[in-house]
Structure formats: structure tokens, C-alpha cells
Amino acid sequence: MKARVGIALACGLIALAAFGDVFSVNQVGYNRVVLSPGGVHHLVGLGFDPFDATLLGVFGTNQLRGSATSPLFCDLVLRWNAADQVYERYAFNTTDMTFRWATNFSGPPVNPVIESGDGLWIISAAAGPYAGQSNTIYLMGEVVDVLTNEVPIVGGGVGTPAYNLICNPFSCDVELNAMRFLESGAYGSGSPVLTDRILLWTGTGYKQYGLKPDGTWREMYPVNRWNEPTGTVATVSLGEGIWYSAANSFTWIPTNTYLHNLR
């Protein structure tokens, strides 16, 4: 088994340089997420390889606020089912310290797979004893140490796209135009109505970007920059969930830009 070295990769910054050349070491990091009180939505992504790639493995039993009686008193986790284009809602039941469907809180425990590259909504408790309290959680795991990663994207057709809730499957920030969607099979178009889109959550709404045929992105809403000659510069932060609106089904295969710092 490899030795494990703990490092904090908070606020989208990677603190790898201080280690110099590290061989055969699992480097550990985390994202700190502060949940504002009162049912506020927080869009997050898992940019690390979780120690246990399940809902319970990622959040444990002592991070999200739970209840023995009602999901309304809980911090909720929303996972997007891209195949069916619907949300799956989960809440933590303190009766036996397991997750349940929020729509069947007295039903059997559930524990779906959560992996690097997955995006999630976390909604702070909207009612009950925690409604007026913030909560700090940590999304932890091992720094992703492969050259490429694979994230499946579900398409719905040109003009009738399907939505995917994903994130950068590496432990770093990434510039939008360096994410290699077109090379992986995405649909770039000269028409802003037909092209693939990325939606970045601002906390109150979305910035939307459309994919050009050359693989670069243009901000569409709220600022119309579609006809600009060069790609819009935008950064997707470590641990930031994103929506991807896809015409084609394909496997997104981005490239690791920091792997040389891990060897």
C-alpha cells in the first residue's frame, strides 16, 4: 500500500510544489464548502478520487445535518440522473446513520456511487433546528493522478440537448477553452441555438457559454459575446459543479495538466 501524505487543496489552489518530486505517494486534498443557511443551493463537484466512492463515503456520518423525522430538516444532496433527466434527492437519516431517498425518508437506505467528475447540488436545511445555521463541510479524497480521465456525457439531439451535471475530474482549476470537449466528440456549431453549452452557477443564476466549431467557447448569457473573434476567458474552479448541455452522447476525456508535479 502506498504511503499517504496529507495536503490541503483549498480554495482551488494546488500546493504541490512544496513537495518537490514525490514518487509513489497518494497526495490528499479537500474542498471546504460553507453552506449558507435557509435552503440555499450550492453547486459543487468532486475533483478528487474519494476514499470510498459512494454518497456515504464522500459525506460520512458527521458532515451533513440529518434528522430522524423529516427530510425538510436535513441538508439535501441532489444528484442528476442524466439518463432519465431527473433529480435524485437524498437526505441523511439519523435513526440508523444512513442516507435515504428524500421522497421516501422512512424507506430503505440508499448509497449511490459518487466519483471524481460528478457534480452535485447541496441544499442547506430549509426548516427545523438547523434552518438558521450555516454548515461547513469538506469534500475530500486523493489527488487524481492519471494522465486522462473519462466522464460520460448524455446527448439529446441537435436542438433538443440533454443536460449533464459534471465537474472537472482533476484536482485543479481549469480554463474553459482548455477542457477538450470538442476533441472528445462535443457538438460545436456556428449557431448559438444549436451548439453545446456550459452553464456556470454564480450563486443567483447562470453564465452560459456556447461551443464554436473550433472548440472555443463564447459567453452567451447574460452577456452576448457569440460573435467575438476569440474565445471567452473563464475559469472553472476546483470543486465547482457545471451543467453541460449536449447534442451528442460522448465520453469527455480531459487531460491532466499537473501530473508532472506528482511524480
Side-chain angles (χ1 to χ4, degrees), residues 110-167:
V110 290
N111 195 26
V113 172
I114 305 292
E115 300 175 301
S116 61
D118 287 343
L120 301 166
W121 285 106
I122 304 176
I123 306 176
S124 59
Y130 303 118
Q133 302 175 20
S134 61
N135 184 28
T136 299
I137 65 171
Y138 297 89
L139 300 177
M140 295 180 287
E142 295 178 348
V143 174
V144 180
D145 64 354
V146 294
L147 178 60
T148 60
N149 218 331
E150 297 186 355
V151 178
I153 301 293
V154 173
V158 177
T160 57
Y163 286 88
N164 301 262
L165 188 51
I166 61 173
C167 76

Side-chain angles (χ1 to χ4, degrees), residues 6-32:
I7 58 174
L9 306 184
C11 304
L13 301 177
I14 293 188
L16 301 177
F19 287 88
D21 293 327
V22 181
F23 295 90
S24 299
V25 173
N26 289 355
Q27 301 189 35
V28 178
Y30 64 84
N31 273 118
R32 178 176 178 266

Side-chain angles (χ1 to χ4, degrees), residues 188-211:
S189 173
S191 168
V193 177
L194 301 178
T195 193
D196 282 8
R197 297 188 185 189
I198 281 177
L199 287 72
L200 299 184
W201 178 244
T202 66
T204 57
Y206 291 102
K207 291 185 176 181
Q208 295 191 40
Y209 302 84
L211 183 63

Side-chain angles (χ1 to χ4, degrees), residues 43-46 78-80 117-121 165-167 241-242:
L43 185 54
V44 303
L46 193 60
L78 274 62
R79 181 172 175 264
W80 180 250
D118 287 343
L120 301 166
W121 285 106
L165 188 51
I166 61 173
C167 76
I242 64 175

